[in-house]
Every structure is written in structure tokens, then in C-alpha cells.
Amino acid sequence: MLVAVPIAASLTVLPGERCPFPEFIPQDVWVGLPWYAQLACRLLHERALGPASRFADYLPALPARVDLPAAWPRHAVAALQYPYLEQQILDEQEEWARLSDRLKPYLSRRRLAAEDLYWALAAVRSRTFAGPYFPTPPAVKLAAGAVAAAAVAAAQAALSGGAVGAGGAEVGSLLTAVLPALAAALGVPAAWQAAEARRAASGEPGTVLYSVCPFIDMFNHDSRAQSECVFAPWRGEFRVAAGEPHRRGAQVAINYGSQSNDALLQRYGFVQLDGNPNDRYVFEDLLRPLERALQAGAGGAACGRVTRVELADAARRAGAPAGSLDQVPVTAAGGFPEPARQAVAALLAELARRQPSPAAAGAAGAAPSEATLQEVLDAVCQAELAASGSSLADDEAALAQLAAWQDDVAARQAAAQAEMEAAPTALGPSVSEQTASLEGVAIGEGAGVAAAAASAPLGEGEEGTTPAVAAGEEPSPPPPPVEPPAELAVQGGEAERLRTVLSFRIAKKRVLTALAGGTQ
């Protein structure tokens, strides 16, 4: 075990608990809030207490901004190029807006705005751990075991009439009397605990507690990590257990669970571009890319040129199970799920049956070959890639350009700062003016500001000094600035958000590309 944080030292909401601050949120409002809204209100309450809060040392460590998609503008969500997740994010945005409207009167009493609530919601959504809720304290279960043991012992004594034999018989009689009582003392608490554990594992409402655990919430995620955060109900604490050896001084990452990049982005605001074995692509409506694939010639002439409406009718006539072609998850390693493969095969057979050609009539109702089915599914992935607003190569190039631009801006800022510190009386723009110019690029003002920043003298060598220039020689001009990706302006200059968007698009397109035979 690396670290343990008791529930008492965490920001926690328990199922069914009464509002701990009714002067802030009335009880009738509190009971109608989802757990994350309750936890967000708890976080805002503790922050309002200032130094008087039990978490006064922890709260300043929270980030001032948590950039979850639930707070993104619509154009930023659309830039993900992923309808499946886009709709979930828009639904969550509507939910947050409803919570803001519902809590507005109570927030305003403490001079809190919607932005404060959104910060708190994002903070708890990205930092919360869940654990099974055992409503009965361990002490009560142990007490019940003791009572049961006493009752068993009393019953044993009454049945035996208090008689105890001699020698070996005495030992046997003691064991006969003690063992049932001991079994009751241990068995009753264990059975009680097991019953509550089964209920908690079922996931039914009221069986899960949620906590923001100071310090543990600072562990980063890696899908390949074997270390994890677990809840120890008997101790009432969250623990980080090391499941693998770590070198001294190395970062310890924990595994948040088997989560795709969809979940990582929506819940935590980041993407694991490499090494996430749980990533997938979800076709919200498989008939749409299937229509494009067949119209492009996939499956041969037997399928013909069909519309989505005709495909839906063919799927119905072929007896495709309801929902088998909706929200279809595919993975690079596992491909299409078997129900979807069977539904597409049945659909193709139905389309072939409808064709008037003699060849098609001869194979009426016959299932397509495995090679034909695979060709169509490959073409579906290719059609989905082609319908995206950018290619995989485009996104990878934009991500590399973004990184190069950020490095260039950082280097120019450092050089300008070093030169001004070395020659504070030199003519030219002040450090603050140069920094402001460079930061103008970071908020998307484009190449004009970048060129202005580049015109500032650049220091080289140790301590920011400029190299000596021989008499009569012109100093070499600084290299031109690296241009940011064009999409940065569309994202309002949010460079880290653009990095997340590009990483997400790349991860999704890599899944499709792997299934499309490596074509882009």
C-alpha cells in the first residue's frame, strides 16, 4: 500500500444523507440533486468557509480551471468529429444548464455565479473515486455477532444442563459449547457484510459512495498501470495499492479502470493517445457509412446502389435484431462485434435476393462469403474515415505543428527574457511588451503577432548574451516564427484544448484505419 485516505478526510457524499449545510442548500432541493451536484455544492461550501474549512490546506491545490467538454462551446464539441460522443456531451451540457438554473437562487446568496458551479462540477467529475456503500457500521455488525454468540452459548448451556464431563470428555464438551458460539460471533458479521457487498455490487441506487480524496486525486492515469485505487470498507478508507514495482523517484500512475478515450475525455478531460487497449470507435448508425460503402461499389454488383431507407427496410426483412446496427462499438483488436457482423451479412443476403439478375436469383437468400462480408466492413470503416472533416495524416501533422509552435513560442519568450535581464537599459520593447506580444499568438491572433514577436532580438549562448558581430557585418536575422495550426483560431486560441481534440481524433481514426486495412 502506498497511501490511504480515510473517508473522514475526504469530501464525500453518502447515499441518502441529509444536507450538511441546509442554510446553503435546502433539504428538499438537496435530495433531488445527482451525487456530483451534491459533491459540487459541498466543494463550494468548503471553499466559502476559507481558513475555517477542514480542507483549507487542500483547496488551493485544486486547479483554477478544469477544461471538460461539458463546458466547451458547441463548435469545439463538433471538432471532435465523433457524433456518438458529441451527443452525449451536448446532453451533459443541457443537464449542467438545468442544474445551474435550479441552484441559481442559492448560489447567488453566497455571491456565486454559474461559472463557480461549473468549476465545481468539473472538479468533482474529474477527481472523484467511487466505492461500495455499506450502510451498517462494522461495530454494529460485530456487536450483532457478539449477541448471536451469547445466545448460542446460552442455548447450549440450557440444553446440556450445565453438565461437564472429566478428562477428554471435558475438552470435548468445551469444544462443543464454544465452537457454535464462535461460529455465530464470526458468521453473523461476515454474512451481513456479504449481503451488503452483493447489494453494492449490483449497482442499484443507494449503494455507492463518492469521494474526492486529497492527494490520491493527484495520481495520473495510465491504462497499462497495474496500480489502482481501491476502497477498504472495513477501514473506511481509499487506498492506492502498488501492483507493480517502481523505481525510486519514478512517477506512480494508477489505472482508473478499463475506459476508452471517450470516457477519459468526457470524465477527466484528457486522452491517452498511445497504449490504451480499451479504446474503441462507436458507429452511432452503421447504416449511414454502409450506404456510402455500398454505393462506392463494396460487395459487388449484387448489392446495387441503395439508400439508407432501403437498407433499413432490408435489415428489417432480413430479421436483423433490433439495435444491432445502432451504436456499434469496434476495436482495433476485436473488429466488429458478432451481432453486427451477422446483421450486416443478413442484410447483404436480402439485398442480393432483391436483384433481378439471373446470377443474383441463383444465390437468392444465400449469405455472403466471409471475404465479401469483410470487404464490406472494411469499406464501411473507409467510408467513415472519408466522411470526417480531416484525415488521420492531417490531424497528426496538425498535432506536430502545434507542438513545434508551442516550443517556438516558449523559446522566444525565454530568449527575450534572458536578453532583457542581461541588458536592462537596452533600447527596444520592454519584457512585458515582448511577453504580451508572444502571448498574443497563444490566444490565436495569428501570424502577424508571431512576426512582431519574432522581430524582438534573440539572445544566444550563455546567460542570454548575443554573439559577437565583426565590424561591418550585419547580424544574422532570427529564424522565422513557427506558424500555429489554422484550427487554433477556430478553437479561440485554446492551445491545450486543440491538443486534446487532435489527440482524440487521431486515436479514433487509428482504430478505423486499423480495421480498414491500413488505408486512410
Side-chain angles (χ1 to χ4, degrees), residues 127-203:
R127 311 181 83 82
T128 297
F129 292 93
Y133 175 57
F134 297 86
T136 309
V140 174
K141 296 169 186 170
L142 292 173
V147 171
V152 169
Q156 286 286 104
L159 290 174
S160 64
V164 177
E170 180 179 358
V171 174
S173 298
L174 286 174
L175 289 176
T176 302
V178 169
L179 285 179
L182 183 60
L186 299 177
V188 169
W192 198 337
Q193 182 80 356
E196 291 188 343
R198 286 193 298 271
R199 183 169 177 267
S202 70

Side-chain angles (χ1 to χ4, degrees), residues 158-489:
L159 290 174
S160 64
V164 177
E170 180 179 358
V171 174
S173 298
L174 286 174
L175 289 176
T176 302
V178 169
L179 285 179
L182 183 60
L186 299 177
V188 169
W192 198 337
Q193 182 80 356
E196 291 188 343
R198 286 193 298 271
R199 183 169 177 267
S202 70
E204 63 181 273
T207 61
V208 181
L209 61 86
Y210 300 93
S211 291
V212 175
C213 302
F215 190 74
I216 291 181
D217 64 353
M218 297 180 184
F219 281 83
N220 288 325
H221 164 79
D222 191 324
S223 297
R224 298 159 294 193
Q226 298 179 29
S227 301
E228 60 181 343
C229 178
V230 297
F231 182 65
W234 282 102
R235 298 295 299 270
E237 63 186 20
F238 285 91
R239 298 175 173 179
V240 173
E244 56 200 330
H246 295 279
R247 290 181 289 104
R248 182 182 297 275
Q251 177 185 187
V252 177
I254 63 176
N255 195 324
Y256 293 178
S258 301
Q259 304 200 50
S260 69
N261 278 318
D262 305 23
L264 293 178
L265 175 59
Q266 188 174 9
R267 287 288 149 260
Y268 307 106
F270 66 85
V271 174
Q272 185 175 344
L273 182 55
D274 299 308
N276 185 355
N278 308 300
D279 203 17
R280 60 181 186 169
Y281 187 96
V282 178
F283 288 92
E284 192 171 41
D285 179 4
L286 193 61
L287 292 180
R288 295 191 183 280
L290 181 59
E291 174 189 13
R292 296 192 294 269
L294 295 179
Q295 290 185 355
C303 294
R305 296 180 63 85
V306 292
T307 66
R308 185 193 177 285
V309 174
E310 292 171 326
L311 287 174
D313 180 65
R316 181 179 59 81
R317 291 179 179 274
S324 58
L325 298 173
D326 298 327
Q327 297 189 358
V328 177
V330 297
T331 64
F336 284 76
E338 191 58 31
R341 293 179 65 91
Q342 293 176 0
V344 172
L347 187 155
L348 295 177
E350 175 65 19
L351 291 177
R353 187 187 66 79
R354 296 183 180 188
Q355 297 303 310
S357 67
S369 67
E370 184 64 25
T372 298
L373 176 60
Q374 193 59 52
E375 174 197 343
V376 171
L377 294 178
D378 290 352
V380 164
C381 295
Q382 294 169 5
E384 189 78 353
L385 284 167
S388 300
S390 59
S391 69
L392 174 58
D394 292 337
D395 291 341
E396 289 177 334
L399 184 61
Q401 184 180 0
L402 177 65
W405 172 76
Q406 288 182 305
D407 290 344
D408 183 63
V409 169
R412 289 172 182 275
Q413 288 178 334
Q417 179 72 28
E419 180 164 338
M420 294 305 295
E421 289 176 353
T425 59
L427 296 178
S430 66
V431 173
S432 60
E433 289 171 339
Q434 294 185 55
T435 303
S437 295
L438 287 164
E439 289 177 346
V441 184
I443 59 173
E445 293 182 6
V449 179
S455 65
L458 291 178
E460 297 183 9
E462 296 182 358
E463 299 183 357
T465 58
T466 57
V469 179
E473 290 185 9
E474 292 291 332
S476 59
V482 176
E483 293 293 331
E487 198 172 347
L488 181 61

Side-chain angles (χ1 to χ4, degrees), residues 15-42:
E17 73 172 343
R18 295 188 62 82
C19 180
F21 32 77
E23 72 285 357
F24 177 25
I25 305 296
Q27 174 64 20
D28 60 329
V29 175
W30 174 265
V31 296
L33 297 177
W35 68 263
Y36 51 88
Q38 291 180 342
L39 201 48
C41 289
R42 189 154 205 156

Side-chain angles (χ1 to χ4, degrees), residues 66-74 77 88-97 118 121-122 125 265-267 269 497:
V66 183
D67 194 33
L68 293 190
W72 289 4
R74 282 181 175 261
V77 178
Q88 293 185 48
I89 292 172
L90 295 178
D91 291 344
E92 187 173 30
Q93 289 182 346
E94 292 179 1
E95 170 66 13
W96 284 25
Y118 274 49
L121 286 170
R125 284 302 256 171
L265 175 59
Q266 188 174 9
R267 287 288 149 260
R497 180 180 295 170

